[in-house]
Amino acid sequence: MAVPDWAKKLRGKGQAIQRRGDNYYLYDVKYGYDRKTGRSKTISKTYVGKLDEKLGIIRTEKKILQSEIKKSIGCPLEYEATNLLEILGNDIRDALVSEFGESDGNAIMAMGKIGLIEKPPEKRIRLSYESSYESIRYPGLSLSPSSVSRLTERIGRERDVQLRFMKRFVDGSTHLIFDGTRLVCYSKDIDLAKVGYNHSEIWDPQVNLMYCFSLRPNKMPVYFMPFAGNKPDVSNIMTCVRELGLKDVFLICDKGFRNSGNLSELKENGISFLTPLKRNSAEIDYSFMDGQAGSLSAFGESVFLYHGRPIYYHVCQEYGYEKTEIKKRGRHPKGYVPEFTEAQKDLVVLFRDVDLMNDEQSSYSVAMVNREEGYDSEGMKKNEKYFGTIALSVNRDITPQELFETYKERELIEDGNKAYKDVLDNFASDKQGTDAYKGWLFVNHIALMLYYRVLGRIKERGLSSKYSVEDVISVAKRITVQNINGEWNENIPALSDLKAYTEVMQ
């Protein structure tokens, strides 16, 4: 009996209908060529469903093909962590696409996101990408191991493009912090890996990574430059200042950057700079203590509160210009007018942190009781004027309290160093070749920028003592989405498990 017309209308391409009794059944059929008979033959036949003139194709769950299930129900994909970083870092993506092009820019952003969320080795970056909604939001990114390797090498060679990207975030910043961090690197193919000084007394081959953070108007990492591990910080900072073409900004640096050559060049470019002084510096006047080295009374009423604790201070040198007469030999003619030269005097303030003073006195006493070499009552008397003190110098007219509070914002660098050591240092850190290594440093820079976007949100809500960036990311990546019959459905864990994320992001 011929197949009725109503059944033929339900048959699609590559499908066949079979009749059994009074019923009709639909199958997906594949045909192939049979060389022996010279005819086509059926290679495979899979059941689709029963045909009904009124109801159409009747599919039962037991008989739906596995391939059909895969088409209608997709695997869960990580969603909220990449979505959070997308929202907080949309300007970073725009800058990357503008400087590196759409394909490379989106790939770099995806690698930065994945690096912060998963920290996978290079060979698993594509798997992390395909397991995330990032592959739906930005499909077709070339993130195979070979593609990633070529991309990082290309980025590493394009310092000019990196610099253009970074200057987008440096420009407009009024307060910048510079600091160096050391990255241990054992690869023999990386020219920058050299044995050099490390404050942790680690003498392994290392790279000296100079970082710059913006304090105002936004707190974030904005620039980096890698140097050989045997090159000192004091010379590196001026290389960075020149590459960026900095002028008319306020730099906050560590004592290691302070030397006469650096300070003169900075002043010539209208750059204000704040640096701490060594405790035995000749610029610090301790004479005002006058036998009261271990007492606070010498500071008088010069005190303010910082985070609830008292900070005493003494102005050792006022900011201003000092006139000095230019001496000339011989007798001066009638009507002679003396000539003067002006020298700028930096503001120098000595601060004493009461809590720090007590800690240092206690530590010294314990060492003395334990009879450690060099710790005795004579040493206590000699060093008590230093306990709890920090001296700061700045070539700008600001109040002592503002000077202290600005310097204390260097905690931003401690956040960055912690992130690099704990979060990013192991992300694809086994690079071979200098260009590839420099390229990965740039990818890490993008991840670090995203890290600070989340950290900023945590601090805005006063939750930094309660949650870390890792806490928020680990919770967010548990929120997934799943494509079911063409619709995306969100899978959300119990609200009690989302507390860290909801408190920070509400």
Side-chain angles (χ1 to χ4, degrees):
M1 182 182 291
V3 176
D5 290 339
W6 65 264
K8 290 180 180 179
K9 292 179 180 179
L10 297 174
R11 181 178 59 191
K13 186 176 181 181
Q15 293 181 323
I17 298 174
Q18 283 191 0
R19 181 189 174 193
R20 292 178 188 169
D22 294 330
N23 297 317
Y24 298 91
Y25 300 89
L26 184 67
Y27 293 83
D28 283 328
V29 181
K30 288 186 178 180
Y31 300 97
Y33 179 72
D34 189 334
R35 292 182 178 179
K36 292 182 179 180
T37 63
R39 295 181 177 183
S40 63
K41 68 175 183 178
T42 301
I43 297 176
S44 64
K45 185 172 68 172
T46 51
Y47 178 67
V48 175
K50 182 180 178 181
L51 301 183
D52 184 275
E53 187 172 2
K54 294 181 179 179
L55 300 177
I57 303 173
I58 303 173
R59 305 172 189 258
T60 60
E61 288 189 11
K62 292 181 180 179
K63 295 182 178 180
I64 294 179
L65 302 174
Q66 188 64 33
S67 59
E68 285 295 314
I69 294 175
K70 290 181 179 179
K71 290 178 184 177
S72 60
I73 303 178
C75 295
L77 301 177
E78 178 283 315
Y79 176 75
E80 192 58 35
T82 48
N83 184 58
L84 167 64
L85 298 180
E86 182 72 20
I87 294 170
L88 297 180
N90 60 83
D91 59 324
I92 298 174
R93 179 184 296 281
D94 291 344
L96 285 171
V97 169
S98 178
E99 298 298 346
F100 289 91
E102 185 172 359
S103 177
D104 284 357
N106 285 330
I108 295 169
M109 184 68 173
M111 286 167 21
K113 285 183 172 185
I114 292 168
L116 181 55
I117 297 169
E118 299 289 349
K119 300 172 283 296
E122 184 176 293
K123 63 183 180 181
R124 294 182 184 170
I125 289 175
R126 182 168 63 180
L127 177 61
S128 295
Y129 165 69
E130 292 175 346
S131 301
S132 165
Y133 191 76
E134 190 79 355
S135 61
I136 305 299
R137 186 183 287 111
Y138 296 98
L141 298 183
S142 299
L143 294 176
S144 66
S146 59
S147 297
V148 168
S149 180
R150 289 193 297 270
L151 176 59
T152 51
E153 287 183 7
R154 189 161 64 250
I155 297 169
R157 291 192 296 268
E158 296 177 336
R159 179 64 185 179
D160 56 330
V161 185
Q162 291 185 39
L163 184 60
R164 287 201 307 268
F165 169 85
M166 292 186 289
K167 287 190 71 173
R168 286 171 172 259
F169 298 91
V170 174
D171 293 346
S173 297
T174 59
H175 292 58
L176 299 172
I177 298 177
F178 273 97
D179 194 40
T181 187
R182 306 279 173 153
L183 303 178
V184 174
C185 179
Y186 296 108
S187 176
K188 296 180 180 179
D189 296 327
I190 296 176
D191 298 338
L192 298 171
K194 305 290 184 183
V195 174
Y197 168 76
N198 188 306
H199 66 82
S200 300
E201 297 185 359
I202 297 174
W203 298 99
D204 296 327
Q206 56 198 269
V207 174
N208 189 357
L209 187 63
M210 184 65 62
Y211 243 97
C212 178
F213 294 79
S214 172
L215 279 182
R216 299 184 183 94
N218 300 304
K219 290 181 171 63
M220 61 179 176
V222 292
Y223 168 89
F224 76 94
M225 189 173 187
F227 293 90
N230 58 359
K231 196 168 182 183
D233 291 345
V234 68
S235 61
N236 294 344
I237 187 172
M238 295 313 300
T239 301
C240 297
V241 168
R242 292 169 194 141
E243 184 180 52
L244 285 170
L246 293 180
K247 293 183 183 296
D248 303 318
V249 295
F250 191 4
L251 297 187
I252 298 95
C253 307
D254 203 354
K255 62 174 73 76
F257 299 115
R258 187 179 178 84
N259 69 23
S260 57
N262 285 355
L263 301 186
S264 297
E265 184 172 342
L266 292 172
K267 288 178 180 179
E268 290 174 5
N269 288 288
I271 297 175
S272 300
F273 50 88
L274 187 165
T275 60
L277 302 174
K278 295 180 179 179
R279 282 181 167 177
N280 62 355
S281 171
E283 295 181 69
I284 307 172
D285 179 15
Y286 291 100
S287 63
F288 74 97
M289 295 183 182
D290 192 26
Q292 299 178 342
S295 169
L296 297 172
S297 59
F299 291 85
E301 297 182 1
S302 300
V303 61
F304 58 85
L305 292 179
Y306 177 74
H307 291 181
R309 68 179 191 268
I311 306 295
Y312 287 81
Y313 65 91
H314 172 75
V315 178
C316 299
Q317 179 175 282
E318 298 279 0
Y319 172 80
Y321 292 86
E322 184 176 57
K323 286 187 176 183
T324 305
E325 183 178 351
I326 301 175
K327 301 293 185 181
K328 292 188 177 181
R329 294 182 179 180
R331 297 181 64 181
H332 297 159
K334 187 177 181 180
Y336 171 77
V337 178
E339 295 181 15
F340 294 86
T341 182
E342 278 191 338
Q344 179 181 299
K345 295 174 62 179
D346 297 338
L347 174 65
V348 178
V349 182
L350 179 69
F351 299 91
R352 171 161 278 167
D353 183 332
V354 177
D355 288 357
L356 179 60
M357 180 182 71
N358 293 335
D359 288 344
E360 292 186 349
Q361 283 180 331
S362 177
S363 296
Y364 197 99
S365 297
V366 169
M368 197 164 57
V369 170
N370 291 333
R371 299 185 182 281
E372 294 183 22
E373 185 177 351
Y375 291 86
D376 51 34
S377 58
E378 192 65 29
M380 170 76 84
K381 185 176 180 180
K382 181 180 178 180
N383 287 287
E384 61 184 356
K385 69 179 179 182
Y386 298 133
F387 291 146
T389 63
I390 178 172
L392 301 176
S393 173
V394 63
N395 64 331
R396 175 178 285 196
D397 189 16
I398 60 177
T399 67
Q401 182 171 349
E402 183 184 356
L403 173 61
F404 185 85
E405 290 175 347
T406 301
Y407 179 72
K408 282 299 182 179
E409 291 187 74
R410 283 181 58 83
E411 68 182 26
L412 190 72
I413 285 179
E414 298 307 316
D415 293 329
N417 288 339
K418 180 181 183 298
Y420 230 100
K421 296 292 190 297
D422 299 344
V423 182
L424 303 176
D425 200 18
N426 292 324
F427 173 38
S429 59
D430 56 345
K431 293 295 98 189
Q432 301 296 319
T434 302
D435 288 337
Y437 186 78
K438 289 180 178 179
W440 273 111
L441 289 179
F442 184 79
V443 173
N444 276 2
H445 178 66
I446 301 304
L448 190 63
M449 292 180 77
L450 294 170
Y451 177 96
Y452 269 83
R453 297 298 173 88
V454 180
L455 180 63
R457 188 64 69 93
I458 294 172
K459 289 189 172 184
E460 283 174 11
R461 283 153 176 72
L463 297 170
S464 54
S465 63
K466 192 174 181 181
Y467 301 120
S468 67
V469 173
E470 295 92 319
D471 291 333
V472 175
I473 294 294
S474 65
V475 173
K477 70 182 183 181
R478 293 171 57 196
I479 302 175
T480 63
V481 291
Q482 189 172 17
N483 191 327
I484 301 177
N485 293 320
E487 294 184 2
W488 289 100
N489 294 265
E490 197 169 33
N491 303 319
I492 303 176
L495 290 177
S496 58
D497 296 332
L498 295 177
K499 189 175 180 181
Y501 182 71
T502 54
E503 282 192 34
V504 170
M505 301 310 300
Q506 61 185 354

